[in-house]
Amino acid sequence: MKTSILIIYTGGTIGMVKDPKNGSLKPFDFDHILKQVPELKGFGFDLTSVAFDPLIDSSNLNPEVWVKIANLIKENYEKFDGFVVLHGTDTMSYSASALSFMLDNLEKPVVLTGSQLPIGMLRTDGKENLITAIEIAADYKDGKAIVPEVCVLFENKLFRGNRTTKHNAEYFNAFYSYNYPDLARVGINIHYNHAVIQKVTKEKEFAISTDLDTNIAILKIFPGINKKTVDAIFNIEGLRAVVIETYGAGNAPTDKWFIDSIKDAIDKGVIVYNVTQCPAGSVDMGLYETSVELLNIGVVSGHDITTEAAITKLMFLLGQQLDSDKIKFFLNKSIKGELCQ
């Protein structure tokens, strides 16, 4: 039986080709993918594609799209060996993070990829990314997927999805995982780093969680931030959680008004999740005096989690209708490999 892969095209740069009549870019016809990318015939896989209608620019992405992707994977889970999600680069890390939390008991690869140049352009990185993503999604050994998790494939590296950040808007190496090793490196061969890939320890029925709560906000600390700005964030109607992006190892101003504003919000039931502004490194509240007060008033440490994963993890946990203490417990723990703790 042929290996079967479902390609889900949501939109984005990768899916554009040049119209030979007028030279303009138009959406790629994924119904004829083998004709458009004949190199794929060499695999001998059974490739099926589904395209969103309308296609979605990644800047317009929202949780409804994540739910749609999750449902597509759920509906087709038993029919296919792996899944490739083609996606715009701007919000790919958010989508990969969200899907990692939404897809439970995953035993098959879900590989997100895209490109910096349209697949129809001469120097595109799209073909290489697409071909490699399909190969990884189809890679099994002894009947088990080599990478049974949500991941991002870009240029020549495979990353855990909820560890990625888009760090480059110009070059082909658009994504990076600062706090977690690459799952694989791609050259003449694909070299998997098996020690850091999540393993399926107990087979359970695949399921999805699609209840997401978006009543959250991000507060990025900067020199000169004032009380009006902080209060405006914490007094948003219906607010349930705030990701606070702090300096270095989780440090923030120690002004009384600042600490009091956060404490007032926490006392009202708002969860405050501390992540570092630094691309690499971890929050370690209490290491410096400038983070001790945050620890004392009940701010939750995000450790080495990315902002993208912090946002989507909060949406996921808040959507599970858990009590505040339970949510804080899970924020401090790794549930899908999103942080080292």
Side-chain angles (χ1 to χ4, degrees):
M1 184 177 293
K2 284 185 176 182
T3 299
S4 58
I5 302 297
L6 178 63
I7 302 168
I8 301 170
Y9 176 43
T10 65
T13 300
I14 190 171
M16 306 302 289
V17 293
K18 188 171 287 188
D19 188 322
K21 295 180 180 179
N22 58 25
S24 64
L25 292 172
K26 64 177 184 178
F28 184 77
D29 184 1
F30 280 93
D31 289 333
H32 300 92
I33 190 170
L34 291 179
K35 181 179 178 181
Q36 299 281 5
V37 189
E39 295 91 337
L40 293 173
K41 294 178 182 178
F43 286 136
F45 300 152
D46 183 5
L47 301 177
T48 301
S49 64
V50 57
F52 280 19
D53 185 17
L55 296 173
I56 301 167
D57 186 285
S58 66
S59 297
N60 291 322
L61 209 87
N62 57 48
E64 292 178 7
V65 179
W66 300 334
V67 171
K68 186 174 181 179
I69 296 171
N71 278 319
L72 275 171
I73 293 173
K74 172 67 174 176
E75 293 163 8
N76 293 281
Y77 192 74
E78 299 302 327
K79 303 175 189 175
F80 294 92
D81 298 300
F83 303 87
V84 172
V85 180
L86 303 181
H87 194 292
T89 59
D90 286 346
T91 54
M92 188 183 296
S93 290
Y94 287 95
S95 294
S97 297
L99 289 170
S100 75
F101 300 121
M102 296 169 70
L103 306 182
D104 204 20
N105 304 320
L106 184 64
E107 297 179 26
K108 299 180 179 183
V110 176
V111 187
L112 280 76
T113 194
S115 66
Q116 295 285 65
L117 285 175
I119 204 166
M121 295 187 70
L122 188 61
R123 292 181 53 251
T124 183
D125 54 329
K127 278 192 177 184
E128 187 69 31
N129 287 345
L130 174 61
I131 291 167
T132 305
I134 290 172
E135 184 173 3
I136 290 171
D139 218 349
Y140 276 66
K141 184 177 182 180
D142 299 327
K144 294 186 177 181
I146 291 179
V147 190
E149 58 176 290
V150 179
C151 44
V152 168
L153 180 283
F154 224 86
E155 201 190 24
N156 59 0
K157 293 182 179 180
L158 182 72
F159 308 107
R160 176 167 295 163
N162 59 31
R163 289 291 195 150
T164 60
T165 293
K166 183 177 180 181
H167 81 126
N168 200 314
E170 179 177 358
Y171 295 105
F172 289 151
N173 59 336
F175 290 87
Y176 201 72
S177 173
Y178 288 93
N179 286 327
Y180 198 76
D182 307 336
L183 303 187
R185 294 202 173 196
V186 181
I188 295 173
N189 299 299
I190 299 175
H191 298 277
Y192 292 103
N193 189 354
H194 294 280
V196 301
I197 296 173
Q198 287 182 333
K199 304 294 191 297
V200 178
T201 55
K202 190 180 291 186
E203 293 186 2
K204 298 180 181 179
E205 185 176 355
F206 175 73
I208 62 173
S209 298
T210 57
D211 292 325
L212 302 171
D213 191 328
T214 62
N215 289 301
I216 58 181
I218 297 177
L219 175 62
K220 189 181 185 78
I221 303 303
F222 59 90
I225 192 168
N226 60 53
K227 189 175 187 303
K228 287 184 179 179
T229 300
V230 173
D231 286 347
I233 294 292
F234 282 110
N235 289 315
I236 294 172
E237 186 177 354
L239 184 70
R240 297 193 64 193
V242 173
V243 172
I244 179 171
E245 288 192 344
T246 54
Y247 307 129
N251 305 311
T254 56
D255 303 82
K256 188 177 184 302
W257 68 262
F258 180 79
I259 299 300
D260 287 346
S261 291
I262 298 176
K263 186 178 184 303
D264 288 346
I266 292 174
D267 289 344
K268 293 175 184 175
V270 175
I271 295 168
V272 181
Y273 200 28
N274 187 359
V275 305
T276 176
Q277 296 179 15
C278 300
S282 178
V283 166
D284 186 1
M285 289 195 295
L287 180 62
Y288 294 99
E289 185 180 349
T290 46
S291 63
V292 169
E293 282 302 314
L294 297 181
L295 183 64
N296 290 340
I297 63 175
V299 173
V300 182
S301 174
H303 302 283
D304 63 345
I305 198 169
T306 65
T307 295
E308 295 91 335
I311 288 290
T312 53
K313 185 175 183 178
L314 275 168
M315 288 183 183
F316 168 75
L317 290 174
L318 290 169
Q320 306 311 300
Q321 304 303 317
L322 304 171
D323 63 49
S324 182
D325 287 341
K326 201 72 171 177
I327 291 173
K328 290 177 182 179
F329 173 81
F330 284 121
L331 287 175
N332 252 313
K333 301 294 182 182
S334 176
I335 58 177
K336 290 296 177 71
E338 72 280 3
L339 56 84
C340 287
Q341 180 68 11

